[in-house]
Amino acid sequence: MEQVNGDTLAAARKVIAVHINYPSRAAQRGRTPAQPSYFLKPSSSLSLTGSAVERPAGCELLGYEGEIALVIGKAARRVGIDDAWSHVAAVTASNDLGVYDLRYADKGSNLRSKGGDGFTPVGPALIPADAVDPTQLRIRTWHNGQLVQDDTTEDLLFPFARLVADLSQLLTLEEGDIILTGTPAGASVAKPGDVLEVEVSAGGLTTGRLVTRVEEGTTPFADFGAGPKVDDVQREEAWGSREAAGLPAPASTLTPELKAKLESVATATLSSQMRKRGLNNVSIDGLQATRPDRRVVGLARTLRYVPNREDLFKTHGGGFNAQKKAIDSVNEGEILVMEARGEKGTGTVGDILALRAQVRGAAAIITDGGVRDYAAVAGLDMPTYFANPHPAVLGRRHIPWDTDITIACGGATVQPGDIIVADSDGILVIPPAIAEELVDDCIAQEQEEAFIFEMVKQGNSVDGLYPMNAEWQARYEEWKAGTAND
């Protein structure tokens, strides 16, 4: 096969990159675009296999993204999807490198953050486009010899022909132009001394491994332009997660002390105190529990399913979809709450994913839809709250759509970070801002009710006692002082 060389790079007048195109990446980012969007990289960013790339001096986050590159073979202007692939001469491997430290400086254009010299290595070999099925390509990336990205083009959000046709609506794609087609999940950060490799293959054909070595830059940025600047948000995005970036988990509103208090009071008391505050729609209704003997308190993580539509399930239902992302990111003590619209005609979680949630330390799963593999799910130590058992797979009625957003479950609105209290009496959603005050009032209410119960047990009438009048209130204060001294 023909090798990528200096002539290949010189022929590329434009390098166009797609933002998000793989379902696994969309799930990782938590957003799925309805249409493709693009940015330009200068042709001076192109380099060959074996080249070195600098992490600019003062920068921390050199991100890498293994991608499949399309090389245009003949000019394309206003071509249709059916004809678009004929305008592609070859495919090859590429690495869409960039520094997150400069994203703030040119939001939208990515010029400085992704346009540096050597930030677009391509090669080493060109696979003829007419020799492959564009839906059957495989992209793999290695970081210091470890496989970190491995995906195929079978379920792309935007197939390659659509990208070529779409771009050609407004601009002429010229011979030699290069289109970077997006990266799958697994992109991360490289440091000086690291070696990155990317390979594209199809059947028996392969580009070979595109090798890039990372070096430390030595020339600092001048003070007449934007300099490097990072924060924990950029670190999390660059590395793919807070955990991978070495960042601590965000501070929880559910302290051990608050959790212990909430565990000590009845859901009926919590419900009563929330009604006093005008909160009447905070119970998740109509569900049963696999472990009705359990009482759980935890912070909500959320997952939303939308009604199945076959074309959308094809792009959102497979791979590392929103359901798997939610399960695989739930943390110790958290409760995964699923919006299934009360649809009982299919399962929303089964034994393997429920087990994965338990292994990650989830306190519970709550869904207003069905559960598959009921016997196995019910056998887990982690409680699951659900509408009914059902044998059907997810795709019969649902598409896993997005995570960590405001949802509706069992008639209640649930936001990420809400405090969930669940037991055999029911499931309550508590706004974190009122939790401390609420539980203190609950403790006081239950102490009063313990006194009233004792007085009734001794034969006193409930008239004036329940609720307490001034006389009984005074006697209660004496009783409380006495119990405190015991």
Side-chain angles (χ1 to χ4, degrees):
M1 286 186 296
E2 182 181 349
Q3 299 293 299
V4 173
N5 54 33
D7 291 339
T8 310
L9 305 190
R13 299 180 62 181
K14 295 186 289 296
V15 180
I16 304 168
V18 178
H19 281 110
I20 293 179
N21 197 14
Y22 286 79
S24 61
R25 180 67 162 179
Q28 188 180 49
R29 287 297 200 202
R31 59 183 184 273
T32 301
Q35 302 292 341
S37 61
Y38 314 92
F39 59 94
L40 285 168
K41 300 189 75 171
S43 57
S44 55
S45 70
L46 292 167
S47 64
L48 299 172
T49 187
S51 300
V53 63
E54 280 192 0
R55 185 182 73 176
C59 289
E60 174 187 335
L61 304 173
L62 176 66
Y64 62 83
E65 301 176 3
E67 306 205 12
I68 297 171
L70 310 183
V71 181
I72 298 299
K74 61 179 179 179
R77 176 70 166 121
R78 295 188 177 132
V79 301
I81 290 177
D82 292 343
D83 181 47
W85 188 244
S86 69
H87 291 260
V88 178
V91 299
T92 192
S94 182
N95 199 335
D96 182 15
L97 297 160
V99 281
Y100 282 73
D101 311 60
L102 293 172
R103 288 177 87 191
Y104 79 96
D106 53 4
K107 285 186 176 180
S109 76
N110 289 333
L111 178 60
R112 300 183 73 218
S113 61
K114 288 208 168 203
D117 289 353
F119 277 19
T120 317
V122 292
L126 296 167
I127 299 176
D130 59 8
V132 297
D133 179 346
T135 69
Q136 299 299 314
L137 298 174
R138 184 182 185 188
I139 173 79
R140 288 180 291 174
T141 304
W142 292 265
H143 184 179
N144 293 332
Q146 180 180 358
L147 183 64
V148 292
Q149 292 184 289
D150 189 354
D151 211 333
T152 72
T153 57
E154 187 173 6
D155 59 352
L156 292 178
L157 300 178
F158 313 112
F160 293 160
R162 178 174 172 181
L163 298 178
V164 173
D166 183 38
L167 286 165
S168 77
Q169 292 186 91
L170 287 172
L171 55 94
T172 299
L173 296 173
E174 300 165 297
E175 182 179 354
D177 285 351
I178 293 174
I179 301 173
L180 307 185
T181 57
T183 194
S188 189
V189 173
K191 298 179 180 180
D194 289 354
V195 176
L196 303 169
E197 299 170 279
V198 185
E199 181 181 10
V200 175
S201 58
L205 300 175
T206 177
T207 61
R209 293 197 186 186
L210 169 69
V211 180
T212 305
R213 294 175 289 104
V214 181
E215 297 180 348
E216 181 69 88
T218 57
T219 304
F221 285 87
D223 58 7
F224 49 73
K229 182 170 67 175
V230 297
D231 55 25
D232 286 352
V233 172
Q234 295 302 324
R235 292 185 178 97
E236 182 176 356
E237 285 228 340
W239 285 94
S241 69
R242 293 185 66 86
E243 183 179 8
L247 299 172
S252 173
T253 57
L254 186 61
T255 63
E257 295 76 18
L258 175 57
K259 185 173 184 286
K261 287 182 179 181
L262 288 166
E263 289 172 337
S264 73
V265 297
T267 51
T269 311
L270 288 164
S271 179
S272 173
Q273 285 294 331
M274 283 197 282
R275 283 200 305 274
K276 288 181 179 180
R277 290 164 169 78
L279 293 170
N280 296 303
N281 299 295
V282 289
S283 63
I284 297 176
D285 298 331
L287 306 185
Q288 53 186 308
T290 59
R291 296 297 303 270
D293 57 315
R294 288 296 185 84
R295 178 179 179 82
V296 295
V297 177
L299 293 181
R301 296 287 298 276
T302 60
L303 166 65
R304 181 170 69 110
Y305 296 111
V306 298
N308 186 29
R309 206 180 85 187
E310 288 75 8
D311 60 322
L312 294 177
F313 191 88
K314 186 175 181 180
T315 58
H316 292 74
F320 193 60
N321 60 32
Q323 179 200 40
K324 293 175 182 175
K325 176 188 175 186
I327 293 288
D328 219 45
S329 65
V330 67
N331 296 312
E332 182 81 26
E334 293 178 335
I335 297 175
L336 180 58
V337 186
M338 301 179 178
E339 175 185 336
R341 309 176 312 283
E343 170 56 63
K344 300 179 180 181
T346 193
T348 55
V349 68
D351 57 346
I352 292 176
L353 293 184
L355 175 61
R356 176 60 177 159
Q358 175 175 287
V359 168
R360 286 195 58 84
I365 290 175
I366 299 173
T367 174
D368 61 355
V371 165
R372 293 183 70 226
D373 311 307
Y374 172 72
V377 174
L380 296 176
D381 189 55
M382 177 195 68
T384 295
Y385 298 80
F386 62 102
N388 60 283
H390 201 284
V393 295
L394 180 73
R396 180 169 184 249
R397 298 283 173 84
H398 300 297
I399 307 172
W401 198 254
D402 43 17
T403 62
D404 292 325
I405 60 166
T406 300
I407 64 167
C409 181
T413 297
V414 182
Q415 294 191 301
D418 280 344
I419 296 173
I420 306 294
V421 179
D423 63 13
S424 57
D425 278 347
I427 308 168
L428 295 176
V429 183
I430 301 174
I434 68 167
E436 285 280 3
E437 173 194 319
L438 179 78
V439 75
D440 287 342
D441 287 350
C442 286
I443 292 170
Q445 178 182 328
E446 291 196 347
Q447 193 172 29
E448 288 183 4
E449 290 175 350
F451 169 74
I452 293 168
F453 184 86
E454 182 63 30
M455 293 303 101
V456 171
K457 186 178 180 182
Q458 293 177 13
N460 292 285
S461 170
V462 294
D463 185 23
L465 174 61
Y466 187 51
M468 291 186 288
N469 58 23
E471 179 183 350
W472 275 111
Q473 190 68 46
R475 293 178 63 178
Y476 166 67
E477 294 298 334
E478 292 176 7
W479 175 84
K480 184 168 67 169
T483 57
N485 294 328
D486 289 343

